[in-house]
mmCIF file of all heavy atoms in Angstrom:
data_model
loop_
_atom_site.group_PDB
_atom_site.id
_atom_site.type_symbol
_atom_site.label_atom_id
_atom_site.label_comp_id
_atom_site.label_asym_id
_atom_site.label_seq_id
_atom_site.Cartn_x
_atom_site.Cartn_y
_atom_site.Cartn_z
ATOM 1 N N LYS A 1 -0.074 -16.181 -1.974
ATOM 2 C CA LYS A 1 -0.146 -17.474 -2.506
ATOM 3 C C LYS A 1 -1.609 -17.811 -2.927
ATOM 4 O O LYS A 1 -1.918 -18.342 -3.952
ATOM 5 C CB LYS A 1 0.299 -18.415 -1.359
ATOM 6 C CG LYS A 1 0.198 -19.888 -1.817
ATOM 7 C CD LYS A 1 1.149 -20.270 -2.900
ATOM 8 C CE LYS A 1 1.313 -21.731 -3.057
ATOM 9 N NZ LYS A 1 0.030 -22.464 -3.452
ATOM 10 N N ALA A 2 -2.587 -17.361 -2.071
ATOM 11 C CA ALA A 2 -3.919 -17.633 -2.297
ATOM 12 C C ALA A 2 -4.448 -16.786 -3.648
ATOM 13 O O ALA A 2 -5.169 -17.405 -4.426
ATOM 14 C CB ALA A 2 -4.888 -17.187 -1.259
ATOM 15 N N LEU A 3 -3.959 -15.694 -3.830
ATOM 16 C CA LEU A 3 -4.146 -14.843 -4.939
ATOM 17 C C LEU A 3 -3.646 -15.471 -6.274
ATOM 18 O O LEU A 3 -4.328 -15.601 -7.188
ATOM 19 C CB LEU A 3 -3.631 -13.471 -4.759
ATOM 20 C CG LEU A 3 -3.799 -12.466 -5.896
ATOM 21 C CD1 LEU A 3 -5.310 -12.310 -6.223
ATOM 22 C CD2 LEU A 3 -3.153 -11.113 -5.572
ATOM 23 N N ALA A 4 -2.346 -15.966 -6.127
ATOM 24 C CA ALA A 4 -1.811 -16.616 -7.325
ATOM 25 C C ALA A 4 -2.479 -17.843 -7.661
ATOM 26 O O ALA A 4 -2.766 -18.027 -8.831
ATOM 27 C CB ALA A 4 -0.332 -17.017 -6.945
ATOM 28 N N ASP A 5 -2.954 -18.684 -6.650
ATOM 29 C CA ASP A 5 -3.738 -19.822 -6.918
ATOM 30 C C ASP A 5 -5.144 -19.543 -7.657
ATOM 31 O O ASP A 5 -5.558 -20.242 -8.500
ATOM 32 C CB ASP A 5 -4.026 -20.611 -5.712
ATOM 33 C CG ASP A 5 -2.697 -21.304 -5.128
ATOM 34 O OD1 ASP A 5 -1.782 -21.407 -5.868
ATOM 35 O OD2 ASP A 5 -2.773 -21.635 -3.836
ATOM 36 N N ALA A 6 -5.790 -18.564 -7.168
ATOM 37 C CA ALA A 6 -7.003 -18.010 -7.770
ATOM 38 C C ALA A 6 -6.847 -17.622 -9.184
ATOM 39 O O ALA A 6 -7.680 -17.975 -10.041
ATOM 40 C CB ALA A 6 -7.663 -16.976 -6.815
ATOM 41 N N VAL A 7 -5.901 -16.818 -9.437
ATOM 42 C CA VAL A 7 -5.703 -16.327 -10.810
ATOM 43 C C VAL A 7 -5.215 -17.438 -11.708
ATOM 44 O O VAL A 7 -5.735 -17.493 -12.830
ATOM 45 C CB VAL A 7 -4.650 -15.087 -10.734
ATOM 46 C CG1 VAL A 7 -4.231 -14.705 -12.160
ATOM 47 C CG2 VAL A 7 -5.385 -13.889 -9.992
ATOM 48 N N HIS A 8 -4.213 -18.197 -11.353
ATOM 49 C CA HIS A 8 -3.794 -19.267 -12.122
ATOM 50 C C HIS A 8 -4.911 -20.234 -12.491
ATOM 51 O O HIS A 8 -4.889 -20.881 -13.611
ATOM 52 C CB HIS A 8 -2.703 -19.986 -11.402
ATOM 53 C CG HIS A 8 -1.425 -19.290 -11.446
ATOM 54 N ND1 HIS A 8 -0.467 -19.419 -10.558
ATOM 55 C CD2 HIS A 8 -0.922 -18.182 -12.273
ATOM 56 C CE1 HIS A 8 0.573 -18.597 -10.692
ATOM 57 N NE2 HIS A 8 0.213 -17.826 -11.778
ATOM 58 N N GLY A 9 -5.837 -20.533 -11.485
ATOM 59 C CA GLY A 9 -7.019 -21.310 -11.703
ATOM 60 C C GLY A 9 -7.848 -20.963 -12.840
ATOM 61 O O GLY A 9 -8.551 -21.665 -13.339
ATOM 62 N N GLU A 10 -7.781 -19.652 -13.225
ATOM 63 C CA GLU A 10 -8.531 -19.106 -14.412
ATOM 64 C C GLU A 10 -7.700 -18.899 -15.698
ATOM 65 O O GLU A 10 -8.108 -18.391 -16.605
ATOM 66 C CB GLU A 10 -9.167 -17.766 -13.931
ATOM 67 C CG GLU A 10 -10.071 -17.753 -12.810
ATOM 68 C CD GLU A 10 -11.333 -18.510 -13.049
ATOM 69 O OE1 GLU A 10 -11.629 -18.840 -14.244
ATOM 70 O OE2 GLU A 10 -11.963 -18.833 -11.980
ATOM 71 N N GLY A 11 -6.558 -19.577 -15.595
ATOM 72 C CA GLY A 11 -5.695 -19.492 -16.782
ATOM 73 C C GLY A 11 -5.014 -18.252 -17.131
ATOM 74 O O GLY A 11 -4.683 -17.916 -18.284
ATOM 75 N N CYS A 12 -4.751 -17.543 -16.017
ATOM 76 C CA CYS A 12 -4.129 -16.241 -16.120
ATOM 77 C C CYS A 12 -2.778 -16.130 -15.446
ATOM 78 O O CYS A 12 -2.598 -16.717 -14.388
ATOM 79 C CB CYS A 12 -5.126 -15.167 -15.642
ATOM 80 S SG CYS A 12 -4.643 -13.379 -15.692
ATOM 81 N N LYS A 13 -1.846 -15.334 -16.003
ATOM 82 C CA LYS A 13 -0.480 -15.152 -15.244
ATOM 83 C C LYS A 13 -0.649 -14.015 -14.215
ATOM 84 O O LYS A 13 -1.494 -13.225 -14.245
ATOM 85 C CB LYS A 13 0.526 -14.769 -16.378
ATOM 86 C CG LYS A 13 0.687 -15.763 -17.583
ATOM 87 C CD LYS A 13 1.286 -17.078 -16.984
ATOM 88 C CE LYS A 13 1.710 -17.884 -18.292
ATOM 89 N NZ LYS A 13 2.303 -19.274 -17.836
ATOM 90 N N LEU A 14 0.343 -13.862 -13.386
ATOM 91 C CA LEU A 14 0.386 -12.981 -12.361
ATOM 92 C C LEU A 14 1.754 -12.335 -12.131
ATOM 93 O O LEU A 14 2.794 -13.020 -12.221
ATOM 94 C CB LEU A 14 -0.007 -13.623 -11.002
ATOM 95 C CG LEU A 14 -0.419 -12.699 -9.826
ATOM 96 C CD1 LEU A 14 -1.753 -12.040 -10.123
ATOM 97 C CD2 LEU A 14 -0.580 -13.521 -8.459
ATOM 98 N N CYS A 15 1.692 -10.960 -11.967
ATOM 99 C CA CYS A 15 2.856 -10.197 -11.894
ATOM 100 C C CYS A 15 2.960 -9.459 -10.605
ATOM 101 O O CYS A 15 1.872 -8.805 -10.314
ATOM 102 C CB CYS A 15 3.067 -9.445 -13.149
ATOM 103 S SG CYS A 15 4.491 -8.156 -12.982
ATOM 104 N N ALA A 16 4.017 -9.368 -9.845
ATOM 105 C CA ALA A 16 4.099 -8.582 -8.658
ATOM 106 C C ALA A 16 4.708 -7.294 -8.994
ATOM 107 O O ALA A 16 5.991 -7.240 -9.407
ATOM 108 C CB ALA A 16 4.837 -9.359 -7.586
ATOM 109 N N GLN A 17 4.070 -6.224 -8.719
ATOM 110 C CA GLN A 17 4.711 -4.816 -8.852
ATOM 111 C C GLN A 17 5.528 -4.478 -7.588
ATOM 112 O O GLN A 17 4.887 -4.147 -6.568
ATOM 113 C CB GLN A 17 3.652 -3.731 -9.191
ATOM 114 C CG GLN A 17 4.266 -2.376 -9.462
ATOM 115 C CD GLN A 17 3.208 -1.219 -9.491
ATOM 116 O OE1 GLN A 17 2.587 -1.020 -8.426
ATOM 117 N NE2 GLN A 17 3.033 -0.600 -10.619
ATOM 118 N N LEU A 18 6.752 -4.642 -7.678
ATOM 119 C CA LEU A 18 7.643 -4.433 -6.442
ATOM 120 C C LEU A 18 7.944 -3.013 -6.320
ATOM 121 O O LEU A 18 8.316 -2.318 -7.281
ATOM 122 C CB LEU A 18 8.992 -5.185 -6.570
ATOM 123 C CG LEU A 18 8.893 -6.754 -6.759
ATOM 124 C CD1 LEU A 18 10.093 -7.368 -6.847
ATOM 125 C CD2 LEU A 18 7.980 -7.346 -5.630
ATOM 126 N N HIS A 19 7.681 -2.385 -5.080
ATOM 127 C CA HIS A 19 7.919 -0.990 -4.970
ATOM 128 C C HIS A 19 8.382 -0.775 -3.540
ATOM 129 O O HIS A 19 8.320 -1.472 -2.635
ATOM 130 C CB HIS A 19 6.646 -0.282 -5.227
ATOM 131 C CG HIS A 19 5.773 -0.018 -3.917
ATOM 132 N ND1 HIS A 19 5.201 -1.003 -3.260
ATOM 133 C CD2 HIS A 19 5.523 1.069 -3.232
ATOM 134 C CE1 HIS A 19 4.507 -0.512 -2.190
ATOM 135 N NE2 HIS A 19 4.743 0.811 -2.120
ATOM 136 N N GLN A 20 9.051 0.485 -3.511
ATOM 137 C CA GLN A 20 9.332 1.030 -2.203
ATOM 138 C C GLN A 20 8.866 2.458 -2.021
ATOM 139 O O GLN A 20 9.082 3.195 -2.960
ATOM 140 C CB GLN A 20 10.925 1.050 -1.976
ATOM 141 C CG GLN A 20 11.445 1.915 -0.749
ATOM 142 C CD GLN A 20 10.937 1.310 0.483
ATOM 143 O OE1 GLN A 20 10.608 0.120 0.579
ATOM 144 N NE2 GLN A 20 10.803 2.155 1.555
ATOM 145 N N SER A 21 8.049 2.715 -1.131
ATOM 146 C CA SER A 21 7.448 4.009 -0.942
ATOM 147 C C SER A 21 8.570 5.110 -0.717
ATOM 148 O O SER A 21 9.537 4.814 -0.122
ATOM 149 C CB SER A 21 6.400 4.048 0.209
ATOM 150 O OG SER A 21 6.010 5.318 0.540
ATOM 151 N N ASP A 22 8.244 6.240 -1.289
ATOM 152 C CA ASP A 22 9.158 7.289 -1.037
ATOM 153 C C ASP A 22 8.480 8.420 -0.067
ATOM 154 O O ASP A 22 8.888 9.516 0.029
ATOM 155 C CB ASP A 22 9.444 8.146 -2.378
ATOM 156 C CG ASP A 22 8.205 8.603 -3.134
ATOM 157 O OD1 ASP A 22 7.062 8.427 -2.555
ATOM 158 O OD2 ASP A 22 8.325 8.890 -4.283
ATOM 159 N N SER A 23 7.552 7.860 0.747
ATOM 160 C CA SER A 23 6.879 8.761 1.731
ATOM 161 C C SER A 23 7.741 8.664 3.005
ATOM 162 O O SER A 23 8.294 7.690 3.439
ATOM 163 C CB SER A 23 5.515 8.165 2.125
ATOM 164 O OG SER A 23 4.602 8.273 0.981
ATOM 165 N N ASN A 24 7.983 9.844 3.469
ATOM 166 C CA ASN A 24 8.735 10.029 4.770
ATOM 167 C C ASN A 24 7.805 9.731 5.962
ATOM 168 O O ASN A 24 7.041 10.536 6.364
ATOM 169 C CB ASN A 24 9.317 11.400 4.834
ATOM 170 C CG ASN A 24 10.146 11.637 6.031
ATOM 171 O OD1 ASN A 24 10.199 10.856 7.059
ATOM 172 N ND2 ASN A 24 11.049 12.543 6.031
ATOM 173 N N VAL A 25 7.850 8.585 6.473
ATOM 174 C CA VAL A 25 6.914 8.173 7.588
ATOM 175 C C VAL A 25 6.945 9.093 8.699
ATOM 176 O O VAL A 25 5.898 9.462 9.354
ATOM 177 C CB VAL A 25 7.298 6.677 8.118
ATOM 178 C CG1 VAL A 25 6.309 6.254 9.176
ATOM 179 C CG2 VAL A 25 7.111 5.654 6.858
ATOM 180 N N LYS A 26 8.233 9.518 9.193
ATOM 181 C CA LYS A 26 8.292 10.416 10.311
ATOM 182 C C LYS A 26 7.566 11.758 9.937
ATOM 183 O O LYS A 26 6.919 12.351 10.876
ATOM 184 C CB LYS A 26 9.692 10.684 10.628
ATOM 185 C CG LYS A 26 10.389 9.413 11.210
ATOM 186 C CD LYS A 26 11.913 9.737 11.641
ATOM 187 C CE LYS A 26 12.580 8.431 12.190
ATOM 188 N NZ LYS A 26 13.992 8.823 12.533
ATOM 189 N N ALA A 27 7.729 12.217 8.763
ATOM 190 C CA ALA A 27 7.036 13.515 8.386
ATOM 191 C C ALA A 27 5.524 13.292 8.333
ATOM 192 O O ALA A 27 4.840 14.231 8.542
ATOM 193 C CB ALA A 27 7.491 13.939 7.053
ATOM 194 N N MET A 28 5.127 12.123 7.987
ATOM 195 C CA MET A 28 3.686 11.899 7.939
ATOM 196 C C MET A 28 2.884 11.906 9.266
ATOM 197 O O MET A 28 1.722 12.230 9.304
ATOM 198 C CB MET A 28 3.472 10.410 7.323
ATOM 199 C CG MET A 28 3.750 10.270 5.849
ATOM 200 S SD MET A 28 3.715 8.562 5.245
ATOM 201 C CE MET A 28 1.984 8.218 5.459
ATOM 202 N N LEU A 29 3.675 11.584 10.220
ATOM 203 C CA LEU A 29 3.081 11.451 11.564
ATOM 204 C C LEU A 29 2.275 12.797 12.032
ATOM 205 O O LEU A 29 1.352 12.768 12.709
ATOM 206 C CB LEU A 29 4.015 10.976 12.594
ATOM 207 C CG LEU A 29 4.623 9.573 12.390
ATOM 208 C CD1 LEU A 29 5.752 9.311 13.554
ATOM 209 C CD2 LEU A 29 3.632 8.534 12.606
ATOM 210 N N LYS A 30 2.979 13.946 11.630
ATOM 211 C CA LYS A 30 2.377 15.144 12.235
ATOM 212 C C LYS A 30 1.044 15.472 11.477
ATOM 213 O O LYS A 30 0.346 16.298 11.936
ATOM 214 C CB LYS A 30 3.497 16.236 11.845
ATOM 215 C CG LYS A 30 3.718 16.604 10.433
ATOM 216 C CD LYS A 30 4.802 17.669 10.241
ATOM 217 C CE LYS A 30 5.133 17.962 8.824
ATOM 218 N NZ LYS A 30 6.157 19.014 8.798
ATOM 219 N N TYR A 31 0.710 14.707 10.412
ATOM 220 C CA TYR A 31 -0.561 15.041 9.773
ATOM 221 C C TYR A 31 -1.656 14.172 10.191
ATOM 222 O O TYR A 31 -2.789 14.406 9.832
ATOM 223 C CB TYR A 31 -0.300 14.897 8.176
ATOM 224 C CG TYR A 31 0.750 15.757 7.567
ATOM 225 C CD1 TYR A 31 1.805 15.443 6.870
ATOM 226 C CD2 TYR A 31 0.514 17.173 7.762
ATOM 227 C CE1 TYR A 31 2.798 16.248 6.202
ATOM 228 C CE2 TYR A 31 1.483 18.017 7.127
ATOM 229 C CZ TYR A 31 2.568 17.583 6.452
ATOM 230 O OH TYR A 31 3.444 18.449 5.889
ATOM 231 N N ILE A 32 -1.276 13.105 10.864
ATOM 232 C CA ILE A 32 -2.242 12.055 11.327
ATOM 233 C C ILE A 32 -3.438 12.678 12.168
ATOM 234 O O ILE A 32 -4.533 12.409 11.953
ATOM 235 C CB ILE A 32 -1.618 10.984 12.010
ATOM 236 C CG1 ILE A 32 -0.831 10.048 11.154
ATOM 237 C CG2 ILE A 32 -2.670 9.993 12.753
ATOM 238 C CD1 ILE A 32 -0.023 8.994 11.780
ATOM 239 N N PRO A 33 -3.153 13.549 13.086
ATOM 240 C CA PRO A 33 -4.204 14.171 13.942
ATOM 241 C C PRO A 33 -5.244 15.021 13.025
ATOM 242 O O PRO A 33 -6.405 14.828 13.123
ATOM 243 C CB PRO A 33 -3.518 15.105 14.911
ATOM 244 C CG PRO A 33 -2.150 14.481 15.110
ATOM 245 C CD PRO A 33 -1.821 13.958 13.720
ATOM 246 N N GLY A 34 -4.683 15.595 12.003
ATOM 247 C CA GLY A 34 -5.549 16.420 11.139
ATOM 248 C C GLY A 34 -6.363 15.605 10.261
ATOM 249 O O GLY A 34 -7.583 15.915 10.026
ATOM 250 N N VAL A 35 -5.773 14.402 9.838
ATOM 251 C CA VAL A 35 -6.622 13.446 8.984
ATOM 252 C C VAL A 35 -7.683 12.842 9.848
ATOM 253 O O VAL A 35 -8.868 12.724 9.349
ATOM 254 C CB VAL A 35 -5.590 12.448 8.404
ATOM 255 C CG1 VAL A 35 -6.504 11.418 7.638
ATOM 256 C CG2 VAL A 35 -4.706 13.045 7.454
ATOM 257 N N LEU A 36 -7.294 12.427 11.071
ATOM 258 C CA LEU A 36 -8.366 11.707 11.898
ATOM 259 C C LEU A 36 -9.487 12.580 12.258
ATOM 260 O O LEU A 36 -10.554 12.183 12.356
ATOM 261 C CB LEU A 36 -7.660 11.250 13.215
ATOM 262 C CG LEU A 36 -6.630 10.027 12.889
ATOM 263 C CD1 LEU A 36 -5.881 9.715 14.177
ATOM 264 C CD2 LEU A 36 -7.224 8.890 12.447
ATOM 265 N N THR A 37 -9.096 13.972 12.463
ATOM 266 C CA THR A 37 -10.209 14.891 12.787
ATOM 267 C C THR A 37 -10.860 15.422 11.571
ATOM 268 O O THR A 37 -11.815 16.368 11.738
ATOM 269 C CB THR A 37 -9.659 16.029 13.718
ATOM 270 O OG1 THR A 37 -8.603 16.615 13.053
ATOM 271 C CG2 THR A 37 -9.101 15.404 15.051
ATOM 272 N N LYS A 38 -10.473 15.034 10.422
ATOM 273 C CA LYS A 38 -10.971 15.498 9.124
ATOM 274 C C LYS A 38 -10.713 17.038 8.866
ATOM 275 O O LYS A 38 -11.417 17.625 8.013
ATOM 276 C CB LYS A 38 -12.452 15.190 8.983
ATOM 277 C CG LYS A 38 -12.659 13.714 9.090
ATOM 278 C CD LYS A 38 -14.199 13.339 8.822
ATOM 279 C CE LYS A 38 -14.375 11.921 8.778
ATOM 280 N NZ LYS A 38 -15.799 11.498 8.694
ATOM 281 N N ARG A 39 -9.747 17.595 9.576
ATOM 282 C CA ARG A 39 -9.295 18.876 9.240
ATOM 283 C C ARG A 39 -8.432 19.014 7.995
ATOM 284 O O ARG A 39 -8.328 19.959 7.272
ATOM 285 C CB ARG A 39 -8.439 19.506 10.416
ATOM 286 C CG ARG A 39 -9.308 19.933 11.634
ATOM 287 C CD ARG A 39 -8.579 20.661 12.679
ATOM 288 N NE ARG A 39 -7.567 19.754 13.346
ATOM 289 C CZ ARG A 39 -6.309 19.846 13.140
ATOM 290 N NH1 ARG A 39 -5.714 20.740 12.266
ATOM 291 N NH2 ARG A 39 -5.475 18.904 13.755
#
């Protein structure tokens, strides 16, 4: 809402890109330790 108000205040339209991720969250979990340790 704040973003829409800010953009509209400048005379500009706003569009929301609706999406659903195709990332498998459960599969992602096994990579988190490697990312955190920068391996």
Side-chain angles (χ1 to χ4, degrees):
K1 179 69 168 59
L3 178 57
D5 290 344
V7 168
H8 287 155
E10 301 293 347
C12 182
K13 303 290 188 181
L14 194 65
C15 174
Q17 185 192 62
L18 303 180
H19 93 288
Q20 170 61 26
S21 173
D22 53 9
S23 296
N24 186 339
V25 176
K26 292 181 179 179
M28 290 172 63
L29 295 177
K30 65 182 178 183
Y31 299 122
I32 290 178
V35 173
L36 294 176
T37 59
K38 297 185 178 180
R39 288 186 292 105

